[in-house]
Amino acid sequence: MLKTYLKTAWRSIISNKTSSIINISGLAVGMAVSFMLLLYVYNEFSFDKFHPNSDRIYQVFKNQPANGVIKTRNYTTQQLASVLEKDIPEVEKTARMSEMMRVLVTYNNKSLRFRSFAVDPSFFDIFNFNAVYGTKKKHLTDESSVVLTQSTAAALFGSLDPVGKTIQYNSFPLKVAAVIRDNPRNSSFDFEVLIPWQAFMNQQPWLKDAGWDNYSYFTYVLFKSGASVQTANLKVKHLIAQYYPPDKDIELFMYQFSRLHLYGNFTNGVSTGGNIEYVRLFLILSISILIVACINFMNLSTARSEKRAREVGIRKTLGARRSGLVKQFLWEAIALAFIALIIALLLMVLLLPFFNRIMHVVLFFPYGDARFWTLSIAITFFTGALAGSYPALYLSSFKPVKVLKGKINTLGAAIAPRQVLVVLQFTFAICLILGSVFIYKQIFFIANKPVGFSKKGLIELPIEGGLFGKFESFRNDVINSGAGTDAAVISEPITQITGASWANNWPGQLPGEDKISIDCIAATYHFTQTYQLKVIDGHDFDISRPSDTTGVILNEAAVKLMRLKQPIGQTIKWMGANRTVIGVVKDFVWGSPYEPVQPTIIGYVKDWIGNIGIRLNPNMPVSKSLASLERIYKKYNPNYPFEYTFTDEAFDKKFQSEKILGAMAITFTALAIFISCLGLFGLALFSAERRRKELSIRKVLGASVANLWFKLSQEFIKLVIISFFIGSAISWYYIQGWLNTYTYHADISLDIFGLTLIGSLMICLTAVSWQAIKAALVNPVKNLRSE
């Protein structure tokens, strides 16, 4: 029986090639995009879960009151790890990790820069990274050892086994102990080189004296099996107060590491989500796209009902039961769905590179994943059954006597549910159109909001190697070459400032205000000129004024916090020393462009190991300036690669999430419009078949082609207008809520809604006009000769 159903289904597909192609293509596109989104969702949910003990791995965080709110950070002290193992019985192991370091690794005169971290040997007991060369037991147990990832080893040694070979790590010799596989694409770690914690301390001896107030490292914890995390968190909550009373307000807690990728945002010390918001959105989109494709399938299937009606009538006359007809139509739909699946899989292979680019991910087609194939087949069966259910039930309900007499007025009753389906399709499309427009409007609004310094023509590069202690000479060479107009030292790239200071004092300070955390930047001479900050009072650090070496510059937010009416000349305590305020600069954005500017202290620090900002000469081509800078850089650092970052490009990365959301919204908008237009095409075909005699009579009575076109099109215009008002109401509610999550946001303007309505009507008329004009041009004799 199944073979008969499939044979009949195939004959139906062949006899209706055009509608079948449209039907299959709409379903295939919807399934392909839905599957890619589900692949992305699965990848996001699998982050950091490849470690065997992922359910027992936690990271330590601190909650610190500051300026009336609680700031949550994952930076901890280096002493914390050993204390946790000693004082908390639920803890099995701990491991420390440093911040990321861009280091120069040299082997046989080949020098390359890699992302490096320092970790405890226990890091490999907590996390699982498979070894390619070397044994796990020897990972970083020797303080003169180093572990490389597979791609790092290939870059330095080619296909050779590097274990036992010595490399230069900056200027320190280290012996390769092991090579591990590259981090999986669903890992939060992005290291390329790992060194022992003790080697890190040996290279920077001053770190050995760093106390409990130095929050610069990450601490990971492996809990014992069956241990209560809640109990352990109660024990660590006030641990800092026990060992360092000045920071008694800081509270610690441990959070599951595998949840951080999706739930890594904290507000006032409580997890408030994170990437999970986007993952949920994409999951909803994938389901919605699939449903829209199914709706399109239903519309196109029932549009062919006039042709299938006589078939149903004859088969019922010959004794066919309704259940048999339902099965036939369902298997026909399932057969179409499986043909669509094959095309969808081919589309996935072709579209995945594009999808990866706009989503900034690396996803691969899961050829060998049995779960993917099982899920794909299950979804296809479900999609075929869902998409074919309405046509099957509807077509099998025809009365044979009425059908064979040509009386199938019951088709008119079907227009209501079909109209509802089309309204649902276009409502979804209009929501996507409005969402896309407002996402990009918000990005444009923030990107063009003044940031308080000039990003254009500014590059930054790290101070390392021969540049230590020779900045002024380097700066003079840069200016004399004409490649740059100025340069300055800054502790970190201006778009990535993370420094903060506590125990600051200022005149008129109120009790408890010394506990306020204030962001800070270390800099030297020429800072405001290079970054083109606006000095509104006082002056920049001046090399001709020796007293400026003990000076600080405040931004407007810091002056407001300290309530300094005449800030210039005031003495404040910063970084444990008295400093004189020599300048005030206008607030500038270095953190989140969506949030208010935070109070910031810019302090002079001699010989700081940080970054150099260079203002390029606007009168010289950028390529020529960079070539000249590279020659000067190589003069001081012959063994180091010349690597730099354009500040405007780094700043643009702050909008990456919104840009991804916008790109996805536009892509899905185009897709939803495409599938919805197929749905309108199906409804136009359905309506033209149902009203062909009416249109022919009107034409005989003198109606023009334009009148007939308008008569057939107006019902679709009504559907689009209904969809617009429903979609606008839904969009207004959610867009307003989304925009209100930002301190600075664009306004909701009514003109965008008006343009969306006009655009939707044009799309609608484009989709139905061909079918409407075709119906209007048919010779009326052809439709009326049986009357």
Side-chain angles (χ1 to χ4, degrees):
M1 186 62 71
L2 178 59
K3 183 179 179 180
T4 303
Y5 289 151
L6 293 175
K7 187 182 293 185
T8 306
W10 177 250
R11 288 173 180 171
S12 175
I13 293 170
I14 295 300
S15 63
N16 298 278
K17 293 185 180 68
T18 302
S19 59
S20 295
I21 290 172
I22 294 174
N23 218 352
I24 290 170
S25 62
L27 200 56
V29 171
M31 290 173 71
V33 175
S34 181
F35 286 170
M36 285 192 293
L37 281 172
L38 290 174
L39 196 61
Y40 169 78
V41 169
Y42 173 76
N43 180 71
E44 292 295 293
F45 274 108
S46 67
F47 247 76
D48 297 314
K49 291 187 172 70
F50 60 91
H51 302 289
N53 298 318
S54 62
D55 59 325
R56 296 194 287 132
I57 300 174
Y58 283 69
Q59 186 172 1
V60 183
F61 283 77
K62 64 185 179 77
N63 282 332
Q64 183 168 11
N67 305 337
V69 298
I70 297 175
K71 291 185 177 181
T72 302
R73 298 287 186 269
N74 56 356
Y75 290 100
T76 59
T77 64
Q78 61 174 312
Q79 294 90 345
L80 180 63
S82 60
V83 170
L84 290 176
E85 283 196 42
K86 178 173 65 74
D87 292 354
I88 311 300
E90 290 83 0
V91 172
E92 181 177 327
K93 286 183 181 294
T94 61
R96 296 167 292 186
M97 174 181 269
S98 69
E99 290 188 279
M100 192 270 286
M101 303 170 284
R102 292 282 292 174
V103 300
L104 190 72
V105 178
T106 304
Y107 178 76
N108 281 352
N109 298 321
K110 180 186 285 187
S111 297
L112 298 172
R113 202 192 302 271
F114 297 104
R115 295 184 301 275
S116 175
F117 295 82
V119 296
D120 286 313
S122 55
F123 180 81
F124 291 99
D125 296 323
I126 296 175
F127 299 99
N128 181 59
F129 296 98
N130 295 323
V132 179
Y133 300 111
T135 60
K136 185 174 180 180
K137 293 181 180 179
K138 295 184 179 180
H139 286 3
L140 305 182
T141 52
D142 183 349
E143 64 184 61
S144 63
S145 64
V146 63
V147 171
L148 310 177
T149 61
Q150 195 169 5
S151 58
T152 304
L156 288 169
F157 300 96
S159 58
L160 298 177
D161 178 357
V163 173
K165 292 182 168 55
T166 300
I167 63 170
Q168 292 293 319
Y169 179 93
N170 285 337
S171 58
F172 297 90
L174 295 175
K175 186 177 292 185
V176 179
V179 175
I180 59 176
R181 295 194 183 281
D182 291 339
N183 291 291
R185 63 182 183 273
N186 56 350
S187 172
S188 297
F189 293 121
D190 63 348
F191 56 77
E192 295 171 304
V193 177
L194 292 175
I195 65 171
W197 187 266
Q198 191 55 48
F200 175 61
M201 301 297 287
N202 293 341
Q203 293 172 17
Q204 302 179 76
W206 62 272
L207 290 175
K208 296 178 181 179
D209 299 324
W212 278 85
D213 58 342
N214 181 18
Y215 299 92
S216 304
Y217 313 105
F218 309 117
T219 303
Y220 301 99
V221 172
L222 177 66
F223 277 92
K224 295 176 181 177
S225 297
S228 170
V229 179
Q230 292 76 11
T231 302
N233 270 329
L234 290 175
K235 295 175 182 178
V236 304
K237 187 174 183 178
H238 301 292
L239 197 62
I240 295 293
Q242 298 176 32
Y243 288 88
Y244 190 68
D247 283 348
K248 62 178 186 240
D249 293 332
I250 295 178
E251 296 179 350
L252 301 180
F253 69 95
M254 292 171 282
Y255 196 82
Q256 191 170 354
F257 179 70
S258 60
R259 287 178 58 84
L260 286 171
H261 180 72
L262 295 179
Y263 301 91
N265 291 349
F266 294 87
T267 302
N268 279 327
V270 178
S271 174
T272 54
N275 289 342
I276 187 62
E277 307 299 332
Y278 292 104
V279 173
R280 285 173 180 158
L281 175 62
F282 293 145
L283 181 60
I284 292 171
L285 280 173
S286 69
I287 296 172
S288 301
I289 290 289
L290 199 58
I291 290 174
V292 167
C294 289
I295 290 172
N296 181 67
F297 185 99
M298 294 177 187
N299 285 344
L300 290 173
S301 295
T302 51
R304 301 185 320 191
S305 58
E306 179 72 12
K307 293 182 179 180
R308 306 298 300 273
R310 296 186 187 279
E311 174 195 338
V312 171
I314 292 171
R315 293 188 64 180
K316 279 194 171 184
T317 302
L318 295 175
R321 295 184 179 182
R322 186 179 185 186
S323 59
L325 292 171
V326 169
K327 290 178 182 178
Q328 178 197 327
F329 290 129
L330 280 176
W331 277 110
E332 182 177 323
I334 291 171
L336 283 172
F338 269 92
I339 295 173
L341 172 65
I342 295 171
I343 299 173
L345 295 177
L346 294 174
L347 286 174
M348 278 186 68
V349 174
L350 296 174
L351 295 176
L352 263 178
F354 169 74
F355 184 82
N356 287 337
R357 280 198 300 274
I358 64 174
M359 290 295 293
H360 296 274
V361 295
V362 181
L363 300 177
F364 300 98
F365 191 95
Y367 295 100
D369 193 334
R371 290 172 297 183
F372 170 77
W373 294 107
T374 303
L375 183 63
S376 298
I377 293 172
I379 289 176
T380 304
F381 262 109
F382 175 77
T383 301
L386 176 65
S389 58
Y390 172 57
L393 295 172
Y394 174 65
L395 292 173
S396 64
S397 67
F398 291 162
K399 302 297 183 183
V401 175
K402 291 184 177 181
V403 168
L404 295 176
K405 285 184 177 181
K407 298 178 180 180
I408 46 176
N409 295 331
T410 52
L411 288 173
I415 196 69
R418 288 174 50 75
Q419 287 175 334
V420 170
L421 294 178
V422 171
V423 167
L424 182 61
Q425 275 187 317
F426 248 85
T427 298
F428 180 65
I430 286 168
C431 287
L432 283 176
I433 292 171
L434 290 171
S436 301
V437 172
F438 280 103
I439 287 169
Y440 274 98
K441 186 177 182 181
Q442 172 67 2
I443 293 172
F444 182 82
F445 175 81
I446 294 296
N448 290 277
K449 183 175 172 288
V451 296
F453 68 94
S454 177
K455 307 187 298 290
K456 189 175 182 181
L458 184 67
I459 68 169
E460 293 177 305
L461 50 91
I463 296 176
E464 54 192 350
L467 281 175
F468 290 129
K470 298 179 182 179
F471 165 70
E472 286 298 331
S473 299
F474 174 78
R475 173 179 177 272
N476 290 332
D477 287 349
V478 169
I479 295 174
N480 292 334
S481 71
T485 58
D486 215 334
V489 172
I490 183 173
S491 52
E492 298 172 275
I494 198 165
T495 57
Q496 302 174 20
I497 300 297
T498 59
S501 62
W502 295 265
N504 304 293
N505 296 107
W506 57 85
Q509 188 178 67
L510 300 177
E513 287 187 332
D514 59 329
K515 300 292 190 298
I516 295 177
S517 168
I518 300 180
D519 297 314
C520 63
I521 299 172
T524 58
Y525 305 115
H526 329 295
F527 176 66
T528 62
Q529 300 102 304
T530 300
Y531 285 85
Q532 295 184 1
L533 301 176
K534 185 175 181 180
V535 180
I536 57 179
D537 198 2
H539 61 273
D540 190 9
F541 302 114
D542 192 338
I543 198 170
S544 64
R545 302 187 187 192
S547 61
D548 283 0
T549 58
T550 60
V552 293
I553 298 173
L554 308 179
N555 69 347
E556 292 175 296
V559 173
K560 183 178 180 180
L561 172 68
M562 298 177 187
R563 301 177 299 280
L564 301 176
K565 294 183 179 180
Q566 298 294 331
I568 303 302
Q570 297 278 6
T571 299
I572 70 171
K573 187 177 180 181
W574 178 71
M575 302 292 283
N578 289 330
R579 298 291 192 118
T580 302
V581 179
I582 65 169
V584 177
V585 295
K586 192 173 182 62
D587 284 343
F588 60 98
V589 178
W590 51 261
S592 170
Y594 301 104
E595 301 298 332
V597 175
Q598 297 299 311
T600 305
I601 298 173
I602 304 164
Y604 181 95
V605 180
K606 185 180 179 182
D607 296 330
W608 187 269
I609 302 174
N611 285 260
I612 296 174
I614 301 175
R615 175 68 56 185
L616 298 179
N617 189 344
N619 300 318
M620 181 182 289
V622 174
S623 59
K624 187 176 180 181
S625 294
L626 293 175
S628 180
L629 285 174
E630 184 172 11
R631 287 193 298 271
I632 298 169
Y633 182 87
K634 288 295 184 180
K635 171 184 172 183
Y636 291 88
N637 263 347
N639 297 323
Y640 282 73
F642 177 59
E643 295 181 351
Y644 55 87
T645 302
F646 280 98
T647 303
D648 54 354
E649 293 179 356
F651 192 83
D652 286 344
K653 290 181 180 179
K654 295 178 180 289
F655 311 106
Q656 182 168 316
S657 295
E658 286 74 16
K659 286 182 177 179
I660 290 175
L661 185 60
M664 293 299 288
I666 286 180
T667 303
F668 292 131
T669 298
L671 177 66
I673 290 172
F674 169 74
I675 296 177
S676 297
C677 286
L678 288 180
L680 283 178
F681 179 86
L683 188 56
L685 179 62
F686 176 88
S687 183
E689 287 186 355
R690 184 174 61 87
R691 302 176 63 180
R692 57 192 174 89
K693 291 185 179 180
E694 173 199 338
L695 295 174
S696 297
I697 293 171
R698 287 179 179 275
K699 193 170 184 179
V700 169
L701 294 176
S704 65
V705 172
N707 289 335
L708 295 176
W709 167 80
F710 180 75
K711 187 69 178 176
L712 197 59
S713 300
Q714 64 180 354
E715 63 182 89
F716 305 110
I717 294 174
K718 293 177 183 176
L719 295 180
V720 171
I721 292 175
I722 292 171
S723 300
F724 170 77
F725 283 107
I726 297 173
S728 296
I730 295 171
S731 299
W732 184 291
Y733 176 80
Y734 283 103
I735 289 170
Q736 188 176 48
W738 179 72
L739 289 175
N740 286 337
T741 61
Y742 301 102
T743 303
Y744 307 110
H745 59 78
D747 297 325
I748 297 181
S749 48
L750 293 177
D751 57 332
I752 292 176
F753 287 84
L755 291 172
T756 301
L757 175 59
I758 294 172
S760 301
L761 291 173
M762 292 178 65
I763 292 169
C764 166
L765 292 175
T766 302
V768 304
S769 288
W770 181 79
Q771 195 61 239
I773 294 172
K774 179 183 175 183
L777 291 174
V778 170
N779 189 339
V781 174
K782 184 178 179 181
N783 292 329
L784 297 175
R785 60 188 171 188
S786 62
E787 296 298 315

